[in-house]
Amino acid sequence: MANLAIAGGKPLFPENSSFQVSEWPPRDERTAERLREIYFSGDWSFNSPAEQQFEQEFAAAHDAAYGVFMANGTTTLECALQVLGVKAGDEVIVPALTWMATALAASYFGAIPVFVDIEPDTLCMDPEKLEAAITPKTRAIIPVHAYSSMADLERILAVANRHGIPVIEDCAHMHGGKWAGRGVGTWGAVGSFSFQQSKTMSSGEGGICITNDPEIANKIYLMKHIGYARNVKQGQAIKAPEGLLCHNYRATAFQAVILSEQLRTLPERLARYDESARILNEAIADVPGVRLQKHGRLATLRSYYSLHFLFDGPEFADIPKSRLTAATKAEGFEVGNVCHGPVYKHALFNLDASRGQFRIAGGSCPVCEKLTPCDIGLTHQTLYYPETAEKIGTIIRKVALNANELRKLS
Ligand SMILES: *Cc1c(COP(=O)(O)O)cnc(C)c1O
């Protein structure tokens, strides 16, 4: 008799069971009312009061003095790199596992992304392998706080400081996170966040740089605002900032208002995700071969873009990810496929690969290549209701305990 539904056994949940997940992006009357006010105020862009307010609130929530609100979380990285003096031909170290934007931000102006392997437990940049990737051309390091984990800032900064190389934290997955009690994004020279539709705070599109350095904040502002300083009015003459080719990477007051409102409820959401993560961790704690991504050594307040299970034990060695996913679906809920895979394999980089435009430190990233095929993630929407996490936990547990049955299927 089969146990697993995919093998003909009885499913844990009947076909039309409901699994409550949070609506995304969130919407409420209060935000709608504030949007209406902005609409009639006509103050839509150009450093509007709503944008200034959000910049201050968001920076303060992460223990930073300054925030510069922008069009998206790729332009934030691009501006941060250029303001820190990175130029065409320079090398920028990024982790092998991230969204392509982290590496593309360097490529856009001719800098060369250099890919470093990840740690097996956190899935973030491996500080041990960082040192070996540094060359005389290295001008910046971008650790990514991936999914629900934080890169080891302490050890990465120790290496970076020894070489005098600035660090930009890519916090696109880590809104509200704290490392050793202090906001992510304030440990390196600049912290970059994205507010794209799927992120844990979203205004459809958007991004912000935070920093505690007034000079860096000022330069990033000039760069996103086509060279205008904060106090300059539209139409007023400006002095072009030397050596800084500026862009229009502005975002609007509408986005700022939506995000201000979401920031107020972020702590409550993070607590819910945390509770779901605890439940899911418990569900698999004694199951051989499967584990959860770790949160990071000194993570004190966790944020969640997604939560990742790694089926990397010998029990699952010859079971493809697609079969695991299909098995969860047959039990009642498909445990989704939020997983980036090695970023250097992305088509946009493969084009460049043939021309030798990027470098993989040490020639390959074996940890990233081994783990991404057995990584199955749950989105933050799924983590919003601990009752849903409870049910999903029973599904993952059942599937994981029946590896033998799964292996025999083809
Ligand atoms: C989403 C994301 C970004 C920025 O993306 P945008 O879509 O440009 O806002 C950067 N890094 C990571 C890791 C991301 O997930």
Side-chain angles (χ1 to χ4, degrees):
M1 268 295 285
N3 287 319
L4 293 172
I6 194 175
K10 191 172 175 297
L12 277 173
F13 300 92
E15 210 167 313
N16 49 6
S17 307
S18 74
F19 286 72
Q20 207 180 3
V21 300
S22 78
E23 282 196 9
W24 202 257
R27 279 140 285 172
D28 59 66
E29 284 301 332
R30 186 185 147 110
T31 309
E33 190 47 46
R34 285 194 65 191
L35 283 169
R36 192 182 147 85
E37 282 166 22
I38 296 288
Y39 175 70
F40 282 109
S41 77
D43 236 341
W44 293 357
S45 185
F46 229 79
N47 203 30
S48 67
E51 291 167 60
Q52 292 178 45
Q53 183 195 333
F54 173 63
E55 284 173 331
Q56 282 158 19
E57 289 168 351
F58 191 85
H62 294 82
D63 310 302
Y66 309 98
V68 183
F69 189 39
M70 290 198 213
N72 60 57
T74 309
T75 56
T76 47
L77 290 168
E78 188 189 347
C79 289
L81 284 168
Q82 295 206 262
V83 160
L84 292 171
V86 183
K87 302 218 157 30
D90 291 343
E91 291 177 355
V92 176
I93 295 178
V94 303
L97 180 67
T98 182
W99 175 238
M100 59 176 152
T102 316
L104 284 173
S107 304
Y108 287 140
F109 59 94
I112 300 158
V114 174
F115 300 91
V116 168
D117 209 354
I118 54 172
E119 295 182 301
D121 54 351
T122 64
L123 308 183
C124 296
M125 180 185 282
D126 189 338
E128 299 271 334
K129 296 180 180 161
L130 169 60
E131 182 100 53
I134 293 174
T135 76
K137 287 175 148 188
T138 309
R139 288 287 175 274
I141 300 165
I142 313 183
V144 177
H145 303 304
Y147 304 143
S148 56
S149 185
M150 295 178 208
D152 197 323
L153 290 167
E154 191 182 53
R155 293 171 61 208
I156 289 170
L157 283 165
V159 175
N161 292 341
R162 197 155 59 238
H163 292 267
I165 301 168
V167 167
I168 299 166
E169 291 171 64
D170 185 342
C171 311
H173 297 176
M174 203 42 61
H175 309 79
K178 304 250 172 178
W179 171 266
R182 199 173 93 209
V184 293
T186 63
W187 293 84
V190 180
S192 161
F193 293 78
S194 163
F195 304 119
Q196 179 269 338
Q197 182 92 1
S198 72
K199 305 294 155 89
T200 320
M201 284 181 63
S202 170
S203 50
E205 302 293 342
I208 196 169
C209 283
I210 62 171
T211 181
N212 277 312
D213 183 320
E215 202 177 316
I216 290 176
N218 188 40
K219 278 196 182 164
I220 292 178
Y221 186 88
L222 293 171
M223 189 126 190
K224 78 115 184 199
H225 202 44
I226 204 83
Y228 285 75
R230 269 198 196 271
N231 52 1
V232 174
K233 296 274 177 301
Q234 192 158 11
Q236 217 171 312
I238 56 156
K239 185 173 166 287
E242 243 167 81
L244 214 55
L245 188 58
C246 296
H247 305 269
N248 169 11
Y249 284 164
R250 291 185 289 261
T252 68
F254 298 108
Q255 292 156 286
V257 155
I258 290 170
L259 293 166
S260 271
E261 290 301 316
Q262 279 175 24
L263 187 60
R264 287 157 24 88
T265 55
L266 182 66
E268 186 221 315
R269 283 195 284 119
L270 296 189
R272 283 172 161 271
Y273 304 150
D274 228 15
E275 174 60 6
S276 292
R278 192 191 61 72
I279 291 168
L280 287 158
N281 197 28
E282 210 160 82
I284 55 147
D286 60 345
V287 182
V290 59
R291 61 195 174 95
L292 269 177
Q293 175 191 18
K294 284 228 174 97
H295 282 291
R297 210 165 41 85
L298 301 179
T300 44
L301 181 58
R302 295 148 178 187
S303 186
Y304 294 83
Y305 173 67
S306 49
L307 184 72
H308 291 252
F309 293 90
L310 296 148
F311 289 78
D312 66 335
E315 295 81 355
F316 299 97
D318 34 17
I319 301 172
K321 176 149 84 176
S322 56
R323 202 179 301 163
L324 288 166
T325 302
T328 62
K329 187 176 179 194
E331 296 299 337
F333 188 89
E334 183 171 359
V335 178
N337 206 345
V338 213
C339 173
H340 292 324
V343 69
Y344 48 81
K345 293 199 170 169
H346 191 278
L348 291 177
F349 288 113
N350 282 342
L351 271 182
D352 285 338
S354 62
R355 301 186 222 122
Q357 296 266 299
F358 71 79
R359 229 166 44 75
I360 298 172
S364 68
C365 296
V367 178
C368 187
E369 303 225 354
K370 172 172 181 272
L371 291 183
T372 45
C374 39
D375 166 345
I376 286 174
L378 283 170
T379 60
H380 59 85
Q381 292 94 314
T382 323
L383 300 171
Y384 187 77
Y385 293 104
E387 309 77 50
T388 301
E390 196 86 54
K391 294 192 210 164
I392 294 174
T394 63
I395 291 179
I396 293 178
R397 183 180 174 83
K398 178 178 172 187
V399 169
L401 283 172
N402 286 282
N404 282 336
E405 210 168 84
L406 265 185
R407 191 172 310 109
K408 288 187 212 121
L409 293 172
S410 53

